[in-house]
Amino acid sequence: MSQPTASFRAKLQAGGGFLTGMVIPNMGAFIAWGFITALFIPTGWLPNEELGSLVGPMIIYLLPLLLAYTGGHLVHGQRGGVAGTIGTIGLIVGSDIPMFLGAMLMGPLSALIVKKWDSYIQPKIRPGFEMIVNNFGLGILGFGLAILSFKVIGPAVLAINEGLTAAVDALLATGFTPILALLNEPAKVLFLNNVIDQGIYYPLGMQQSVEAGKSIFFMVASNPGPGLGLLLAYTFFSGSKVMRQTAPAAIIIHFFGGIHEIYFPYVFARPITLVGMTLGAGSGIATAQLFDAGLVAGPSPGSIFAYLLLTPRGGFVGTIAAVLVATTVSFLVNAFLLRLTQKQDAAKEDHELEAELAEAKARTSSLKQEGKDVLSASLAGGISHAAVPSQASAVAVRIKKVVFACDAGMGSSTMGASLFRKKLAGAGIPVEVTNTAIEKIPGDADVVVTHKNLSERTQRAHGDIEIVAIDNFLGDSALDQLFARIEEQSGSEGDPR
């Protein structure tokens, strides 16, 4: 991949990461609204007019304001969060639809304006006047932002929303919704799923859910079926022993845990399997459309349990059918594709394992001598990874804190940190291991572990921290090398703290 293309992808990932940073912390509120909707609306499981009255105020006021506050807080802390809510209330009052798109725009924009004002005025404030300047400055700016959003930005957002809605309605009317799989599946394995999910599908889904009590847009990118079919195909038909051995564990993490990132390395190992993933996802969307299926809120994480819990009354047949069809199509197509390369993979695997072992020994020797090199290697069967040294990696660093980072800090990074923490604890090594979103990596981290497709974005945000880029959280020799460094450090220096 060329450098300009990689940089553009990193920028898109960063944009998706910001959207994720607004949405994911508030998913509990969205799910709570989904449960209230599923239970108490007239067509719900337990129709209740009194409790059902919570649905409207929550989606009109609570959820957009939560998004606005969180987006503003990401830009400028608490003052940014307050500015974001003030600016967004103008949009809400001036419209008759849920302002999710508006909140995700106005929250950060309002915070940015206040941040610029603060950076200008703070150095000029005389001692003793800080509180009055800060409070009245925010109040006056908030007043202007509320009026601006009510009169100008609100109508513009409404026009954009109407255009998107018309385009979506036209797509649904043609019955061509399954073609969204052509966008979704490549975007997911490039870690761009949050750009389309949190940026497009969630707002559209929430708006549709208000009117119909459910939305198919919560299912078009989150269906766990295609990933399950891929991993099942690897389990039974891969010519790589490593892939066959790791795929069953990945199935549990993906299908039941909802961490879809776990199957991305299997797609990269054999990019042709993207064909099976796309056909499986498209078949799942078509099935959901056939059964008029939908969820009441966005499933996060994308676990089968979340799917079932957020299925409205009378919708289980369609939801389950969409998952089963997507799984079956993905499995059959990918099984066929993997069989085509099965003999070739099996023939070269022994040679690759032997080469990998020799290479790993050479790396270990180098690390013991210098204590600073984090080199690349490739897993047998075609999974490749690399350790990407940043400026800090040129100097031997005593590792006291390892941070696993991913897009939202709540999926693959959580799993990776848990596995590595247990491995260190089993060896009696008290090094701190935690996980977070890329943009929130703490400054006291000594090493950051992330997926190779997020490494450029991580280095752009934190170029002064050593970055170890991996491809598989279940088994990656870069993680083994990192563990060996920490283990040797612990043995030679005692307590690494």
Side-chain angles (χ1 to χ4, degrees), residues 59-80:
I59 197 168
I60 295 296
Y61 297 103
L62 175 65
L63 299 180
L65 288 176
L66 281 174
L67 290 175
Y69 180 87
T70 306
H73 191 277
L74 287 172
V75 173
H76 192 43
Q78 186 171 355
R79 283 173 64 79

Side-chain angles (χ1 to χ4, degrees), residues 119-144:
S119 65
Y120 170 76
I121 201 66
Q122 290 290 342
K124 298 177 172 59
I125 301 176
R126 293 181 178 273
F129 289 85
E130 292 87 357
M131 183 174 291
I132 190 169
V133 172
N134 287 335
N135 286 345
F136 274 83
L138 179 56
I140 293 170
L141 287 172
F143 162 77

Side-chain angles (χ1 to χ4, degrees), residues 34-281:
F35 283 145
I36 292 171
T37 302
L39 289 172
F40 302 130
I41 62 174
T43 57
W45 291 92
L46 301 170
N48 185 305
E49 184 177 355
E50 183 179 13
L51 294 177
S53 65
L54 291 168
V55 172
M58 285 183 73
I59 197 168
I60 295 296
Y61 297 103
L62 175 65
L63 299 180
L65 288 176
L66 281 174
L67 290 175
Y69 180 87
T70 306
H73 191 277
L74 287 172
V75 173
H76 192 43
Q78 186 171 355
R79 283 173 64 79
V82 173
T85 55
I86 297 172
T88 301
I89 195 66
L91 298 179
I92 294 173
V93 174
S95 68
D96 55 359
I97 63 169
M99 267 292 172
F100 293 105
L101 287 174
M104 296 170 81
L105 169 68
M106 198 65 196
L109 177 61
S110 300
L112 182 62
I113 291 172
V114 172
K115 182 178 182 179
K116 294 292 185 183
W117 164 256
D118 284 351
S119 65
Y120 170 76
I121 201 66
Q122 290 290 342
K124 298 177 172 59
I125 301 176
R126 293 181 178 273
F129 289 85
E130 292 87 357
M131 183 174 291
I132 190 169
V133 172
N134 287 335
N135 286 345
F136 274 83
L138 179 56
I140 293 170
L141 287 172
F143 162 77
L145 288 167
I147 300 300
L148 179 67
S149 66
F150 183 86
K151 288 291 189 179
V152 179
I153 299 178
V157 173
L158 276 174
I160 293 172
N161 186 84
E162 289 174 359
L164 286 174
T165 302
V168 168
D169 288 343
L171 182 64
L172 291 173
T174 62
F176 289 159
T177 312
I179 66 173
L180 291 174
L182 294 172
L183 168 67
N184 298 340
E185 296 312 305
K188 286 168 70 174
V189 297
L190 292 175
F191 288 88
L192 301 176
N193 49 310
N194 292 310
V195 177
I196 56 176
D197 224 2
Q198 271 78 47
I200 301 174
Y201 294 147
Y202 271 32
L204 291 174
M206 294 299 291
Q207 186 171 324
Q208 191 179 63
S209 187
V210 172
E211 302 169 358
K214 62 184 178 182
S215 175
I216 192 175
F217 287 105
F218 294 132
M219 302 178 69
V220 294
S222 63
N223 191 335
L228 175 61
L230 172 76
L231 294 171
L232 286 172
Y234 265 106
T235 299
F236 295 107
F237 296 103
S238 175
S240 166
K241 181 172 65 178
V242 173
M243 305 293 255
R244 290 197 306 272
Q245 290 175 342
T246 58
I251 287 173
I252 296 172
I253 294 168
H254 162 72
F255 192 66
F256 299 107
I259 302 176
H260 290 201
E261 292 94 336
I262 196 69
Y263 75 74
F264 295 175
Y266 296 84
V267 177
F268 282 112
R270 290 291 174 268
I272 196 170
T273 58
L274 193 59
V275 175
M277 295 293 296
T278 302
L279 292 174

Side-chain angles (χ1 to χ4, degrees), residues 10 69 191 247 332 372 423 449:
Y69 180 87
F191 288 88
L332 292 175
K372 62 182 179 180
K423 187 173 183 179
V449 180

Side-chain angles (χ1 to χ4, degrees), residues 38 43 45 213-214 294-296 307-316 319:
T43 57
W45 291 92
K214 62 184 178 182
L295 304 180
V296 297
Y307 252 58
L308 296 178
L309 286 171
L310 295 175
T311 297
R313 182 180 179 183
F316 283 100
T319 298

Side-chain angles (χ1 to χ4, degrees), residues 225-226 228-234 237 273 275-277 279-280 324-340:
L228 175 61
L230 172 76
L231 294 171
L232 286 172
Y234 265 106
F237 296 103
T273 58
V275 175
M277 295 293 296
L279 292 174
L324 287 177
V325 169
T327 301
T328 302
V329 173
S330 175
F331 171 74
L332 292 175
V333 176
N334 285 319
F336 171 75
L337 296 174
L338 290 174
R339 283 292 297 271
L340 295 178

